Amino acid sequence: MTDVNAAPAPAASAAEVPMVLAEGVSKSFGSNQVLKSISLEVKRGEVMCLVGPSGSGKSTFLRCINHLEAVTTGRLSVDGQLVGYREAGGKLYELSPKDAARQRRDIGMVFQRFNLFPHMTALENVMEAPVLVKGTPKAQAKARALELLDRVGLADRSDYYPAHLSGGQQQRVAIARALAMDPKLMLFDEPTSALDPELVGEVLDVMKGLAQSGMTMIVVTHEMGFAREVADSLVFMDGGVVVETGPPREVLANPQHNRTKAFLSKVL
Amino acid sequence: MSTSASGRGAVGTVPPPHGGHDEPAPIKAVKLRHPWRNVFAVVLVLILVLFVLDAAQRPAYDWPTVAKYLFDRRVSQAALVTLELTALSMLFAIIIGVILAIMRLSPNPVVKSVAWFYLWIFRGTPVYVQLVFWGLIAIIYQTIDVGIPFTEPWVSFDTADLIPVFWIAVIGLSLNEAAYMAEIVRAGLLSVDAGQDEAATALGMSWSQTMRRVILPQAMRVIIPPTGNEVISMLKTTSLVTAVPLTTELYSRTRDISAETFNPIPLLIVASIWYLFFTSVLMVGQYFLEKRFARGIGDRPDAGPGPIVGTPATGVLPAVVQDPTIGAKQGGDAR
Ligand SMILES: Nc1ncnc2c1ncn2[C@@H]1O[C@H](COP(=O)(O)OP(=O)(O)OP(=O)(O)O)[C@@H](O)[C@H]1O
Ligand SMILES: [Mg+2]
């Protein structure tokens, strides 16, 4: 854990494999380079908060981690496994859709706009993937789903359709839905940005509980209070590059770069 | 308009209550008359009554013959054939239509163009002409051979023996209808928010699982109403299979009977009554299907979830801004 600048650690052998390791990750859409040589490390059980102005590539980076987008250059691995590729004999082979889906199972994702399945109740939303993807028996999946809904404080809302839940409740169902797959890593893309201010707290509390339970999390957020209190590291991105990274209290109290200062002065 | 928070009363037609009554008095006003509207309605009813009275005793309609043939075995059997034609043709049309719709959304340009070409052919020519073509299939392709192209076939079937006329009609109708269904399904698929696909994929669902469990059920809401219309339309289009020629369905059969009785009009009425009966049943079925697929969506209350705001959150500092009375259960602890 003390090995801060873990430069070349490709092979997954040691017990201390970081949960997420990005080495020189770049991503372009056509000629538009959105991520420019990002190198980051998130250790097991760590919470990393990712902040930065709109368009800086935060969502794109999260989407690369679970291979909703393919990276253009660099190496990105989750739990020692290369994302989206298989390496054999010094060559990379693109994963089949089936194998890519298998990788995504272990990575939970929570979206700004919840993206709950509107034609399913809260309970069905949470049960769906375990039953469909993992083949968990229905009764078992249901018990687990109810347990998770209880954990996010929505035991009494399990039969509600998303349209009949408040934004904060929907987002908590979405968190429960992601947790139902027993992920080893959770990605949050501005989970509270679409919420009315009075509903933000209930979602952040669930996330805080999750962090305390030891979940590895990457959170894109504008909630600096949450970052300060919960995160182990804060990363400031701008224009597709990592400008500054460090413990949140230090970065927030004493930003080193002008761009960080300018951004924080607007957000805080 | 009403910008003040207490401007509710100003929006409605109700004047602000005088005094402290909480129940404002209903408006007493002389109703605006619509004399011409009423005149028109009366005229319409009159015309209708005249027509019915006249039709009831006009010999050309020959109501006794209508009554005689309405439940004639030959007619009801033909009605059943019409139903079978409709059901089977729609079934295949929907299956092929879904495939074509997915092909049109494919990133592969060849796949996309093939689907487009299909639509171009089958929507660009009259269904009657297509049915005549299908009727001639046994002349165009006299045998159907199984084997390696340009070599001696292993087995060879006589086309006319292999495909009965009924199935030629089904093929003709469904291939034509598939082109229309493809566009309906495509519109339905495109109506589903891209976030749904993303959420399902992120959960580890495969493409087909995502389609089956997440995208198609939601697309159904958009697909069903026009598909219901297509079914009703198909029911009526089956009367064209006489072009194949298939003569066991409702319209051809009643025409054949009228060739014996030398009186086509009552049998046209018989056929119309059957068609009307079926379309009415289908409309009821469509109503219930639409309700079923509106689950969780159709009855969205006005005050839905928090608005999806485009502006970035402005760094709400929880400790300061959090209203302790709201969400106190979770949010009240030390920040
Ligand atoms: N699928 C795509 N195709 C082309 N360009 C894209 C695509 N997705 C994102 N981009 C571009 O990548 C850039 C970064 O987008 P991204 O969504 O990652 O930013 P962000 O930091 O999440 O911003 P925000 O705070 O607004 O969510 C933007 O300029 C965007 O236009
Ligand atoms: Mg984003």
Side-chain angles (χ1 to χ4, degrees), chain A residues 63 66 68 101 104-105 107 109 111-120 128-129 132-133 161 163-167 170 172 177-178 181 193-194 196-198 201-202 204-205 208 222-223 225-226 228-229 267, chain B residues 193 195-196 198-206 209-210 212-214 217-218 295-297 299-301 303-309 311-318 322-323 326-327 330-335:
Chain A
R63 292 162 52 81
N66 68 355
L68 289 173
R104 285 191 197 101
R105 281 186 195 186
I107 304 172
M109 188 154 189
F111 303 88
Q112 178 174 359
R113 293 178 52 188
F114 329 135
N115 296 349
L116 288 179
F117 306 135
H119 56 302
M120 300 180 194
E128 183 65 22
L132 193 66
V133 178
Y161 284 101
H164 299 157
L165 296 171
S166 75
Q170 287 189 58
R172 285 186 281 152
R177 177 177 71 174
M181 291 299 281
S193 294
D196 289 342
E198 75 270 21
E202 61 188 63
L204 292 183
D205 281 325
K208 201 165 70 178
H222 294 281
E223 301 290 337
F226 176 83
R228 188 191 330 245
E229 190 188 354
V267 178
Chain B
D193 187 74
Q196 293 289 310
E198 196 154 281
T201 308
L203 283 167
M205 291 191 202
S206 69
Q209 287 170 332
T210 303
R212 215 158 29 82
R213 300 289 304 178
V214 177
Q218 292 181 62
R295 230 181 3 171
I297 305 161
D299 50 351
R300 186 194 297 270
I308 310 299
V309 280
T311 51
T314 44
V316 180
L317 280 176
Q322 200 81 53
D323 184 341
I326 302 172
Q330 304 101 345
D333 54 349
R335 274 272 159 76

Side-chain angles (χ1 to χ4, degrees), chain A residues 23-221:
Chain A
E23 297 163 291
V25 167
S26 299
K27 169 72 190 171
S28 304
F29 292 107
S31 60
N32 179 15
Q33 196 176 7
V34 175
L35 297 178
K36 295 166 189 157
S37 192
I38 305 267
S39 294
L40 283 175
E41 184 185 327
V42 183
K43 295 198 185 74
R44 211 170 291 271
E46 253 187 13
V47 176
M48 187 180 91
C49 275
L50 204 54
V51 302
S54 181
S56 55
K58 309 180 296 289
S59 298
T60 304
F61 183 61
L62 283 197
R63 292 162 52 81
C64 284
I65 292 175
N66 68 355
H67 202 47
L68 289 173
E69 303 282 359
V71 305
T72 318
T73 54
R75 291 175 64 93
L76 184 58
S77 55
V78 172
D79 204 11
Q81 269 195 332
L82 213 51
V83 173
Y85 299 93
R86 187 167 47 82
E87 196 168 27
K91 259 182 162 176
L92 291 186
Y93 297 89
E94 205 175 330
L95 286 186
S96 69
K98 202 176 153 197
D99 289 334
R102 185 174 292 274
Q103 271 190 345
R104 285 191 197 101
R105 281 186 195 186
D106 299 335
I107 304 172
M109 188 154 189
V110 175
F111 303 88
Q112 178 174 359
R113 293 178 52 188
F114 329 135
N115 296 349
L116 288 179
F117 306 135
H119 56 302
M120 300 180 194
T121 63
L123 178 67
E124 288 165 347
N125 262 282
V126 181
M127 282 172 63
E128 183 65 22
V131 173
L132 193 66
V133 178
K134 282 188 170 172
T136 311
K138 273 227 165 93
Q140 192 185 326
K142 183 176 176 184
R144 171 92 171 113
L146 287 171
E147 187 188 308
L148 285 167
L149 284 173
D150 188 41
R151 180 163 164 198
V152 298
L154 290 171
D156 55 338
R157 292 287 189 274
S158 60
D159 290 334
Y160 282 52
Y161 284 101
H164 299 157
L165 296 171
S166 75
Q169 291 169 335
Q170 287 189 58
Q171 193 61 297
R172 285 186 281 152
V173 174
I175 294 173
R177 177 177 71 174
L179 290 176
M181 291 299 281
D182 293 315
K184 53 192 178 191
L185 169 68
M186 286 281 286
L187 310 173
F188 295 83
D189 193 357
E190 303 199 38
T192 58
S193 294
L195 297 177
D196 289 342
E198 75 270 21
L199 301 177
V200 168
E202 61 188 63
V203 172
L204 292 183
D205 281 325
V206 167
M207 290 167 60
K208 201 165 70 178
L210 201 56
Q212 279 158 1
S213 76
M215 178 64 76
T216 314
M217 298 165 46
I218 302 182
V219 185
V220 174
T221 186

Side-chain angles (χ1 to χ4, degrees), chain B residues 14-175:
Chain B
V14 185
H18 39 94
H21 296 297
D22 41 357
E23 187 81 26
I27 295 175
K28 289 197 191 83
V30 180
K31 276 252 165 65
L32 184 60
R33 305 274 169 200
H34 300 281
W36 287 110
R37 219 185 270 173
N38 296 338
V39 170
F40 184 57
V42 169
V43 170
L44 276 182
V45 169
L46 273 179
I47 292 175
L48 195 68
V49 167
L50 273 178
F51 178 79
V52 169
L53 285 178
D54 173 80
Q57 40 99 47
R58 192 168 280 270
Y61 287 121
D62 195 359
W63 294 107
T65 311
V66 172
K68 184 176 160 208
Y69 283 104
L70 188 55
F71 298 109
D72 186 279
R73 251 187 80 83
R74 283 185 292 168
V75 173
S76 54
Q77 270 173 352
L80 189 66
V81 172
T82 289
L83 270 192
E84 288 169 356
L85 268 180
T86 308
L88 287 170
S89 303
M90 275 317 288
L91 178 72
F92 291 124
I94 289 171
I95 294 171
I96 302 168
V98 170
I99 296 170
L100 284 170
I102 290 169
M103 282 171 71
R104 284 207 72 187
L105 297 173
S106 161
N108 184 318
V110 175
V111 172
K112 210 191 284 195
S113 324
V114 168
W116 181 88
F117 185 74
Y118 182 100
L119 263 61
W120 182 66
I121 295 285
F122 281 88
R123 289 203 309 178
T125 55
V127 63
Y128 192 86
V129 173
Q130 289 173 28
L131 286 169
V132 174
F133 254 112
W134 285 107
L136 298 174
I137 192 88
I139 294 170
I140 306 172
Y141 303 99
Q142 284 169 355
T143 58
I144 292 175
D145 302 336
V146 180
I148 299 162
F150 307 113
T151 63
E152 193 64 21
W154 303 331
V155 238
S156 184
F157 300 100
D158 205 33
T159 307
D161 298 340
L162 192 68
I163 317 175
V165 186
F166 176 84
W167 285 100
I168 291 190
V170 170
I171 292 172
L173 288 173
S174 51
L175 289 188

